[in-house]
Amino acid sequence: MPANRPLSRALLAAAVASLALVALPGCQTQPRAVAHVGDRIVTEAQFQAAAATIADRIFLPADSAKAVLLDNLEQRELLLVAARNNPALPDSYMTRRRKEIEDEALWRALLAQLTPATVGVSDAEVKQLYLWRQQSTHCQLILTTEPTAAGAARAAVDAGEDFSAVANRFDVTSTLPPGGDLGFIEAGALVDPLDRIVRETPVGAIAGPIETPGQGWFIVKIVARQPHEQASFDTMEKQLRGMLEQRKQRIALSAQYASLRNQYNIVSDPQGLNVLYQRLNAMRAQQQLGVAPDIAPPGAQERATVIGRWDGGAPHRGALTIGEAIDDLNNGRASGLNPARLDAYDEWVKNIILQRVAIIEARRRHLNEEPKTAEHIKQAIEEVQLQAVLQTEVRQRAEPNDAEIYEVYERNAPAFAQLKSVNVQYMTLPESALAVRAAEQAARSGTLKDAVMLSSASFSVKEEVLHFPTTDPFWQMLQPALTQQRVGGMIGPVQLADGWRIVQLIARDAPIPAFANLTPEQQNGIKQQSLELASERRLKAFTDSLRTVVPVIVDRKRFKRIVWPGPNVIPLNPGAMGQPGS
């Protein structure tokens, strides 16, 4: 592979993703630059992180691999320079995308801060969990989001109503399987205290309502228990310890979120919820009737209707409106709502508000100023800019030429072979083991006939010239294998009604049609694949033009000192590595 050929997109994406893990300008220590691209730099730390990510997938000598990667990282920086004034990225779009990226990064940063990094798990806890998991429990659950509904559900069950029907009726979040039936589960599968209740409640009994922080109120029915086989304790210990650690982390995180919810006094507005319910349920009803909803989008007044509020003290107060909730639904940022259930809206709205509150709290804690979070935001925004300039300047302008189309055609030509005839030898044996041994003997002897003659076997070998297309179901089934198998190769054993058949391909007539004779679908597929080559060519031409106006300066001494982390193993066919899509 030439040193200046771009990496495959998958490898380059992996390399670029690793850049967010290293320190960049703005840190206290001055970064050591390997290359300056205009006013941007590729640091030594960036290069090493990218190299470590992809080194085991580039089979080139170290110097060539380093040159390929540096060229690609220079291309990335040149594209980002070009993206600054890209008309495909209007300010309004970038403002919206920046906010979405920042919100996502801040939410994740707060999540990481609220989750304890380490939790204590004793050897005794691990051993006890192992003993508890020696049996499994078949249980059903009813889940409600507030205690009043939980009481009503328990009353319905106590009055004799079918447990499954009650579970379906009260599952407003659509969290549980039908009838609330979890099947057989082992200890540790559920959060506490639910896990303990399932483990300790007698078969046939019903327990609850039980509050599980951050989850809701549960009613539990124990259907049956049975022994559960598991591996030895030594084998399971590490896995069980990890389960207990994750459980404790989830419990701690749920408690933190519950505290956050209380701290910001999150409440829903019943009147606003009813307006939202009327709109969404009417749309759902029309969809169920198989007609396109003809309800007009909410007007300004309806969009401004408040459906929930939060109050964390000035200036951390706010309200959620119908317009914002519908936007979240349409953009995939809010899920889990059953629009037919009015009682589902309260918890759903509170969860949407909690997402907003989490962003507010993250800023309140200045997590946006943390170097790791700030760098993650910067990299994500740059990725948006990078993809936009690739789309407008590379992909949309890439047109494959004849040479590129022919290169892809040659690469895929064997798949287009049209089987006309084959010369085969085959035999049918009563047992698969005999068929396997016969095939092995044939591989050593040359042909099936030679193998039978050498072994003095009492089985006969048939030789036949087959023409395609054929009406014989057996040979129809083997047509793909006969098209692709090497001449002299074996196929089978294949089971038949009277035994096991092995087939040896002796000769084949399977011409490959010229590109012009391929079907329109096949030609289009080749042209689509050749767009990758055209895009590489266009990318190089575009970045080469940028190099004429954007200075690129490489610190050759520093670059030479970088040690490539790869194994420096050259495969038998190095030209196949680094190809598009590899």
Side-chain angles (χ1 to χ4, degrees), residues 116 119-122 125 243-253:
V119 290
V121 175
S122 69
E125 287 178 293
M243 286 176 58
L244 288 169
E245 288 174 349
Q246 291 177 12
R247 284 166 56 80
K248 290 189 175 184
Q249 287 175 326
R250 285 198 302 269
I251 291 171
L253 181 60

Side-chain angles (χ1 to χ4, degrees), residues 502-525:
I502 53 175
V503 179
Q504 186 175 28
L505 180 63
I506 304 301
R508 173 176 54 216
D509 179 16
I512 298 174
F515 176 79
N517 295 330
L518 295 178
T519 66
E521 292 77 12
Q522 291 171 329
Q523 291 185 10
N524 185 60

Side-chain angles (χ1 to χ4, degrees), residues 330-375:
N330 292 337
N331 294 326
R333 293 192 297 267
S335 59
L337 174 66
N338 183 349
R341 297 287 302 273
L342 178 58
D343 51 352
Y345 284 69
D346 175 74
E347 190 67 17
W348 181 76
V349 164
K350 289 177 180 177
N351 283 332
I352 294 179
I353 293 176
L354 184 58
Q355 294 174 17
R356 284 162 165 74
V357 163
I359 306 304
I360 295 171
E361 181 64 18
R363 293 187 183 279
R364 203 175 195 175
R365 299 185 184 198
H366 302 284
L367 296 185
N368 54 313
E369 300 170 13
E370 292 288 335
K372 185 176 180 180
T373 303
E375 181 56 31

